């Protein structure tokens, strides 16, 4: 029979501070105070969406009413809420959306001609299509997206943001037939050169293809009408241009 082995004696908690901290009421109070201070600081530093949207409107010479501003802000809120459940965008905060994504909608709003019919391929999280539809009520938009969950989001956002000038179609780009749109646009779905080739098939004889890129580009098959270089809110270089048939 093996000799009995005595159970090692446990040191009292107060003598085991190298193993685990014994929290006092004062420690707990300090931690709560720090958390509350951090929250007040975060709230104070959070971007004012109306202010930033108005700044973008001024920068890109887009007329903006208070009601329109509220609708753009509402879209951002709906997108961030859905993004917690469905992967719609890499943006994790309102600051990210306003700095890195929403500016593209204002650029497009300045470039697209009046009363245009616009098709947006790969609408995904609704950027730049839905804010653009809000900014350009004179235009008609078709938002095309193949993935079901993203289509559900787009339909919700269109309804919630009052975009009566936008419809959503679940389809792939290769399933579409040329319908003679005034403008075809796509962002972050195709390489710019590939998108020019695909977009050309979706517009009419006098239609234009809107390209988003990181640098100015040219095309032998299509003629550049108007292009603009700009930077995102965090300084990343961007470029957008409207191409017509040569």
């Amino acid at each position: 029979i093996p000799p009995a082995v005595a159970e090692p004696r446990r040191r009292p908690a107060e003598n085991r501070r190298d193993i685990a901290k014994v929290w006092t009421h004062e420690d707990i109070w300090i931690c709560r105070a720090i958390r509350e201070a951090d929250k007040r600081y975060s709230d104070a530093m959070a971007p004012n969406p109306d202010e930033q949207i108005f700044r973008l409107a001024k920068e890109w010479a887009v007329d903006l009413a208070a009601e329109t501003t509220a609708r753009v802000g509402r879209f951002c809120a709906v997108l961030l809420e859905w993004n917690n459940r469905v992967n719609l965008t890499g943006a994790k905060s309102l600051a990210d959306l306003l700095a890195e994504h929403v500016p593209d909608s204002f650029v497009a709003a300045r470039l697209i001609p009046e009363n245009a019919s616009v098709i947006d391929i790969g609408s995904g999280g609704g950027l730049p299509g839905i804010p653009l539809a809000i900014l350009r009520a004179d235009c008609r938009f078709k938002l095309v997206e193949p993935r079901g969950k993203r289509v559900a989001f787009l339909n919700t956002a269109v309804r919630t943001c009052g975009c009566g000038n936008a419809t959503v179609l679940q389809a792939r780009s290769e399933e579409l037939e040329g319908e003679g749109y005034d403008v075809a646009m796509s962002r972050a779905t195709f390489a710019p050169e590939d998108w020019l080739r695909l977009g050309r098939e979706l517009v009419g004889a006098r239609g234009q293809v809107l390209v988003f890129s990181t640098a100015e580009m040219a095309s032998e098959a299509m003629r550049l009408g108007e292009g603009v270089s700009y930077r995102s809110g965090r300084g990343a270089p961007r470029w957008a241009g409207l191409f017509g048939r040569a």
Side-chain angles (χ1 to χ4, degrees):
I1 300 175
V5 178
E7 182 179 354
R9 295 181 60 187
R10 297 180 178 273
R11 290 183 294 171
E14 61 269 23
N15 294 327
R16 290 189 286 122
R17 294 185 183 274
D18 57 320
I19 299 176
K21 178 175 175 60
V22 177
W23 290 88
T24 65
H25 288 297
E26 182 180 3
D27 293 328
I28 295 172
W29 181 87
I30 291 173
C31 285
R32 286 176 178 171
I34 292 173
R35 284 198 299 268
E36 290 173 2
D38 285 344
K39 184 178 185 304
R40 287 195 298 270
Y41 177 79
S42 297
D43 292 344
M45 296 302 292
N48 181 326
D50 290 354
E51 181 180 318
Q52 294 202 26
I53 293 167
F54 272 120
R55 177 180 56 78
L56 286 169
K58 182 178 180 180
E59 180 180 352
W60 294 105
V62 175
D63 291 334
L64 205 61
E67 183 267 344
T68 306
T69 303
R71 289 168 63 201
V72 174
R74 191 179 310 143
F75 164 75
C76 292
V78 173
L79 175 56
L80 290 172
E81 179 184 354
W82 272 69
N83 202 47
N84 291 326
R85 307 188 302 273
V86 181
N87 182 24
L88 297 170
T89 174
K92 302 302 181 184
S93 68
L94 179 59
D96 287 340
L97 285 178
L98 293 175
E100 298 299 309
H101 298 276
V102 175
D104 295 331
S105 300
F106 280 86
V107 172
R110 197 187 90 171
L111 291 175
I112 289 176
E114 293 182 358
N115 303 311
S117 59
V118 183
I119 186 168
D120 179 30
I121 304 299
S123 296
L127 290 163
I130 292 181
L132 176 58
I134 294 172
L135 296 172
R136 292 297 304 273
D138 60 304
C139 297
R140 304 171 308 285
F141 295 85
K142 181 172 286 186
L143 310 177
V144 181
E145 169 59 42
R147 288 162 287 192
K149 291 182 179 179
R150 297 190 175 197
V151 169
F153 162 74
L154 290 169
N155 280 314
T156 298
V158 164
R159 182 175 63 253
T160 302
C161 299
C163 296
N165 59 334
T167 58
V168 180
L169 173 65
Q170 183 171 4
R172 298 185 179 277
S173 58
E174 58 268 23
E175 298 170 349
L176 301 173
E177 295 181 359
E179 298 183 29
Y181 291 93
D182 297 322
V183 176
M185 58 180 272
S186 183
R187 191 196 73 155
T189 302
F190 306 96
E193 298 80 5
D194 294 338
W195 169 238
L196 269 179
R197 176 176 51 82
L198 293 169
R200 183 180 180 181
E201 301 303 317
L202 299 173
V203 299
R206 302 181 64 180
Q208 297 173 293
V209 179
L210 177 58
V211 177
F212 291 94
S213 181
T214 57
E216 183 174 352
M217 60 175 291
S219 170
E220 295 182 358
M222 301 192 75
R223 174 181 51 83
L224 175 63
E226 182 178 1
V228 57
S229 295
Y230 61 105
R231 290 185 178 272
S232 71
R234 294 180 180 159
R238 303 266 177 91
W239 183 84
L242 273 175
F243 289 83
R245 294 183 183 274

